[in-house]
Amino acid sequence: MSVAPDPPEIFDRAADEGERRLDQSWLELISTSFIAGFTIVFGLAALGIVHSVVAPRAGDVAKLPGSLAFGLALVMLVVGRSELFNENFFDPVATAIERDDSWLIGPLLRLWSVTFAFNLVGGALMVLVLSVPGALPSGTDHALVTVAEEIVHREPTGVFADAIAGGALVALLSHLLEAVDGVGGRIAMAYIVGILLALGPFDHVIVTVLHVFFGMQFGANIGVGALGTTTAVVTAGNVVGGLGLVTVSHIAQVSGER
């Protein structure tokens, strides 16, 4: 019977994984970030399809099966080892702490900035593909427009709070993945986090921006300024939740135990 690893062992595993992520070549990092971007869009499309089918019959209950559909995108990301912004906070920071090297600030910024940019590039291209008339089932466009408009019309303070929770949740996924052994455990953790992310809904900047962009392609009443504001607020919240809440607290946990 396997024994769950203790916090220092999880931290050591995270540092090893972080080293792999930091040592990626430019081509590898750009490619894996691009792949993660369009993979997330499949989850958004699945959410929209399910919502369009269930909502007319069950109303808000459609959020649950929609979230179950979206969770599959996180499974695809984790199994494929794609690079998703904010999910790569804990591991590389653990590497920087373990090495105690100040020069890693540069590689950390490279990792996060490239991931952020090419998540959006890959996702936006797939959104454009799936926005072609007839590409998605009838009614999906209306479901995606409705959610996109709900996202941008919320109070900024509420968006920021949801982004803190979303950033914490996705960064926590990194920690949980190092705490389990085997593909089955990784799939389960990814699916659970994916469901919670969509069910909240808790804002993750890549998911949120691509969702809004999807709605805009189908005619949502959303301007570029509103999209930019949402992007800035959610990014800030993700950093606070992912780095300030989850990463720092787990580092403090390990430091205290050692």
Side-chain angles (χ1 to χ4, degrees):
M1 182 177 180
S2 60
V3 179
D6 56 21
E9 184 178 350
I10 295 173
F11 186 85
D12 290 339
R13 291 183 179 184
D16 291 340
E17 171 62 15
E19 186 167 2
R20 181 193 69 81
R21 294 187 177 209
L22 288 170
D23 288 342
Q24 293 177 94
S25 68
W26 280 97
L27 180 59
E28 182 181 9
L29 179 56
I30 290 171
S31 300
T32 54
S33 302
F34 183 87
I35 292 167
F38 70 69
T39 301
I40 280 293
V41 174
F42 286 117
L44 294 174
L47 188 153
I49 293 169
V50 171
H51 195 275
S52 68
V53 172
V54 178
R57 300 171 178 79
D60 287 341
V61 176
K63 291 181 179 179
L64 178 56
S67 300
L68 294 174
F70 175 80
L72 297 173
L74 268 291
V75 173
M76 294 166 66
L77 284 172
V78 167
V79 173
R81 291 295 185 97
S82 300
E83 201 72 59
L84 181 67
F85 178 75
N86 184 212
E87 188 269 329
N88 58 13
F89 278 2
F90 177 66
D91 294 340
V93 171
T95 304
I97 297 297
E98 191 78 3
R99 288 185 184 178
D100 193 24
D101 285 335
S102 59
W103 69 269
L104 283 178
I105 296 298
L108 282 170
L109 294 178
R110 183 192 77 129
L111 174 67
W112 296 333
S113 60
V114 171
T115 300
F116 183 91
F118 282 91
N119 280 171
L120 293 179
V121 170
L125 286 176
M126 183 55 67
V127 166
L128 293 175
V129 170
L130 295 181
S131 300
V132 173
L136 294 176
S138 177
T140 306
D141 55 345
H142 176 71
L144 291 169
V145 166
T146 300
V147 175
E149 291 180 341
E150 288 176 353
I151 289 172
V152 299
H153 292 148
R154 290 176 297 165
E155 290 293 328
T157 52
V159 176
F160 185 66
D162 280 340
I164 292 175
L169 188 59
V170 175
L172 183 61
L173 175 60
S174 296
H175 185 269
L176 294 173
L177 291 175
E178 303 303 339
V180 297
D181 296 311
V183 176
R186 294 175 65 85
I187 290 175
M189 290 297 99
Y191 192 49
I192 291 170
V193 169
I195 293 171
L196 291 176
L197 193 66
L199 191 60
F202 301 117
D203 286 293
H204 178 272
V205 62
I206 304 303
V207 177
T208 298
V209 170
L210 292 176
H211 207 149
V212 173
F213 185 60
F214 227 148
M216 292 171 69
Q217 295 307 303
F218 285 123
N221 185 25
I222 300 170
V224 176
L227 175 61
T229 300
T230 300
T231 303
V233 173
V234 177
T235 302
N238 283 175
V239 171
V240 171
L243 282 179
L245 192 60
V246 171
T247 302
V248 170
S249 61
H250 279 302
I251 289 172
Q253 178 191 32
V254 172
S255 298
E257 182 160 339
R258 287 178 174 176

